[in-house]
Amino acid sequence: MNVNPIEGLLSIAAFLGVVWVGVLEGIVITIGLSFVAFVNEAWRPYRAELVQIPGMRGYHDRSRHPEGHRIDGIVILRFDAPLFFANGGMFTDYVRSVVAAGPEVTTLILAAEPITDIDSTAVDDLVELDDFLANAGITFLIAEMKGPVKDRLARYGLDRRFGPERFAPTVGAAVDAVLGHERDDIGEPSDRS
């Protein structure tokens, strides 16, 4: 069985802490190191551009599916962590770099299901990103955002800026709304083998 290297190091730290400084102190040290490891992981989360694969439902990670393709004018991005002070700037930098590197973009869709929370610093980053995209003529839509995160945006007063028209229940619904029609390259679920 393979062990995550970070978990292995935390186990060793727990053992050495207990041996060298005592049980309670060793556990406290390990909890502190675990917190640092958690923040480090959330600070640099997995990011993905999602693409369409002809004949396959959904939208998939471009780095894992090179056969996929962008939809003309649309970029779909996923950020797999809560947005908070440590990664909000990284999130906006990532979005800007993908938009700048691709062909002409008219719509950016954020697949927000993995974003389970957002703090006030990240809200500021989100507003700055929205302004940047609007100035570039790019519509910013958010798909699959969880209700509690939408509630948090409303508490920050962003429900006026990000009205219901900016949210979609799924990435597919957002793409369909932008294109003005549903995907026609896939059949009904019962048609697939």
Side-chain angles (χ1 to χ4, degrees), residues 122-137:
V123 164
D124 291 341
D125 291 327
L126 194 64
V127 168
E128 182 183 316
L129 176 65
D130 187 43
D131 289 340
F132 168 79
L133 293 170
N135 288 335

Side-chain angles (χ1 to χ4, degrees), residues 21-182:
V21 295
V23 174
L24 186 57
E25 293 86 355
I27 291 172
V28 169
I29 289 169
T30 304
I31 290 171
L33 291 173
S34 296
F35 178 73
V36 169
F38 169 76
V39 170
N40 184 51
E41 185 71 25
W43 178 47
R44 297 177 296 122
Y46 188 77
R47 304 171 296 273
E49 179 180 354
L50 304 181
V51 293
Q52 186 177 60
I53 300 172
M56 186 183 293
R57 292 189 177 284
Y59 297 86
H60 309 275
D61 186 341
R62 183 179 196 179
S63 67
R64 297 178 186 272
H65 296 279
E67 73 276 16
H69 62 87
R70 279 185 176 176
I71 302 160
D72 289 339
I74 300 174
V75 170
I76 307 167
L77 299 178
R78 190 182 72 216
F79 194 76
D80 291 357
L83 286 173
F84 67 114
F85 68 92
N87 68 14
M90 177 184 295
F91 165 71
T92 59
D93 290 345
Y94 171 65
V95 172
R96 289 174 190 232
S97 69
V98 172
V99 167
E104 186 173 334
V105 177
T106 58
T107 304
L108 174 84
I109 299 172
L110 174 63
E113 184 179 22
I115 299 173
T116 57
D117 198 10
I118 187 167
D119 74 3
S120 59
T121 305
V123 164
D124 291 341
D125 291 327
L126 194 64
V127 168
E128 182 183 316
L129 176 65
D130 187 43
D131 289 340
F132 168 79
L133 293 170
N135 288 335
I138 299 171
T139 302
F140 182 29
L141 302 176
I142 302 171
E144 302 176 3
M145 183 168 271
K146 291 175 174 30
V149 181
K150 285 183 188 176
D151 295 344
R152 171 109 5 148
L153 290 177
R155 282 195 301 274
Y156 287 129
L158 290 184
D159 52 337
R160 291 180 298 278
R161 181 182 196 109
F162 293 99
E165 72 283 355
R166 303 274 298 274
F167 291 94
T170 65
V171 172
V175 171
D176 292 348
V178 171
L179 296 177
H181 61 82
E182 292 183 5

